[in-house]
Amino acid sequence: MGPGRRRARRPRHELGQARCRHPGGTRNRPRAPACHRHRAGQPSGAPVLFQAGDSDGGRELAARHADVVFSANTEYGKAVAYAADLRERLARHGRSPDSLRILPGASVVLGDTTADAEEKARWVRGEQVSGPRSIAFLEQYWGTDLSAYDPDGPLPDIEPGEQELDPSRGTISVERRTGKQALIRKWRDLATGRGLTIRELVLEVSPGHPSFVGTPSSVADEWTRYVRTRAVDGFNLLPHLLPASVTDIVDTLVPALQERGVYRTAYQGTTLREHLGLPSPG
């Protein structure tokens, strides 16, 4: 390309772009953009919209606009309640139950036997919660530097300052911020009663435990129940080790799911929307 010459730009309508305008709203709460999607060049007709967030507002946003929602409600009872709530909201917005796909996050640890899988899960969990991470976890609640404490020793012998008990402070969830003192007392009782170190306590109480632990057959049975009762439409995999954990799922869990008729053996379409079984946009 010679000097002074500019590369020709493709017209917007050929790029399949979505033009959005923001019709006002406040500084902190802007209104949702009104999007005019140009469908040329998009085999799906329109982008597949994903949403994540479990608040009431997040659920409403999913029910009004999303095609797929990522959920943290992996335990079966919570998954059933979450799906029922979303489908009630879909109906209120004039949408069908099949217009939204629910994909909770799932961490999977597989083994040849249940005991093998449980041992592997303990190893995974131990690797995830190192000494420094254990200290960092407690610092969220104490609100102060705890690096002088030994992660393989007892809990800190200090209490969080009064300013750290303010529910408006910190990055942890509101329900945990508002009950710091009671939560820390509960942890102290647990650590004292079982003789737990800081790291051992954090292994017990911090989030991140594998969602599904077992043989390919047992996990496939459990997932089949989720899918056939419409608690979920699938799972968003959260691999603990790459590529090994994904290889385990592909080589052993997927065939077990296919045998049970809850996982496809071939794709019927060519677009993401078709792969998800979503209706074509109106």
Side-chain angles (χ1 to χ4, degrees):
M1 183 180 297
R5 297 183 61 186
R6 306 179 97 180
R7 186 186 300 274
R9 302 180 67 180
R10 294 174 63 189
R12 283 183 179 270
H13 70 273
E14 291 184 11
L15 298 175
Q17 293 182 347
R19 299 181 187 174
C20 299
R21 58 184 175 82
H22 294 265
T26 65
R27 174 188 289 268
N28 295 323
R29 293 180 178 270
R31 295 180 187 172
C35 297
H36 306 283
R37 298 185 182 92
H38 295 270
R39 297 182 179 178
Q42 293 184 9
S44 295
V48 176
L49 302 181
F50 290 74
Q51 186 273 342
D54 197 28
S55 66
D56 184 73
R59 294 186 185 203
E60 274 297 297
L61 181 64
R64 288 174 65 90
H65 301 291
D67 297 305
V68 180
V69 59
F70 291 141
S71 163
N73 297 285
T74 307
E75 188 274 325
Y76 182 73
K78 292 181 179 179
V80 169
Y82 178 77
D85 178 68
L86 270 189
R87 287 175 183 131
E88 287 179 4
R89 295 171 189 259
L90 286 170
R92 290 202 298 269
H93 293 294
R95 299 181 64 190
S96 73
D98 289 329
S99 63
L100 178 67
R101 293 286 177 255
I102 301 172
L103 305 180
S107 175
V108 182
V109 177
L110 300 170
D112 294 333
T113 65
T114 300
D116 177 46
E118 290 174 349
E119 181 181 355
K120 188 187 296 186
R122 285 191 292 270
W123 175 82
V124 168
R125 185 70 175 142
E127 290 297 302
Q128 291 174 334
V129 183
S130 64
R133 287 184 179 180
S134 302
I135 296 297
F137 178 82
L138 290 193
E139 286 176 342
Q140 297 177 87
Y141 295 87
W142 265 259
T144 190
D145 180 9
L146 300 176
S147 59
Y149 287 86
D150 181 359
D152 293 315
L155 264 62
D157 53 3
I158 60 174
E159 300 296 334
E162 286 298 320
Q163 70 274 16
E164 294 303 329
L165 302 178
D166 184 339
S168 67
R169 296 172 65 93
T171 58
I172 56 179
S173 61
V174 172
E175 62 270 19
R176 292 206 159 196
R177 276 184 268 140
T178 55
K180 276 186 179 180
Q181 288 280 35
L183 191 61
I184 290 171
R185 283 196 299 272
K186 180 179 177 181
W187 288 351
R188 287 196 190 283
D189 291 342
L190 177 61
T192 300
R194 295 176 51 184
L196 302 178
T197 65
I198 288 175
R199 185 168 180 268
E200 289 169 339
L201 176 77
V202 173
L203 280 168
E204 287 281 332
V205 303
S206 64
H209 294 269
S211 313
F212 300 95
V213 178
T215 64
S217 179
S218 67
V219 173
D221 286 340
E222 196 169 1
W223 281 19
T224 297
R225 178 170 69 125
Y226 276 69
V227 171
R228 287 184 175 162
T229 57
R230 293 301 307 276
V232 307
D233 296 296
F235 290 96
N236 177 33
L237 294 178
L238 309 173
H240 54 81
L241 183 66
L242 290 172
S245 59
V246 174
T247 300
D248 284 347
I249 291 170
V250 171
D251 290 346
T252 64
L253 181 56
V254 167
L257 293 169
Q258 291 172 330
E259 289 173 1
R260 289 158 177 77
V262 293
Y263 194 91
R264 63 167 62 90
T265 57
Y267 288 103
Q268 302 300 315
T270 58
T271 67
L272 176 59
R273 182 174 294 278
E274 290 170 335
H275 294 338
L276 292 168
L278 290 165
S280 299

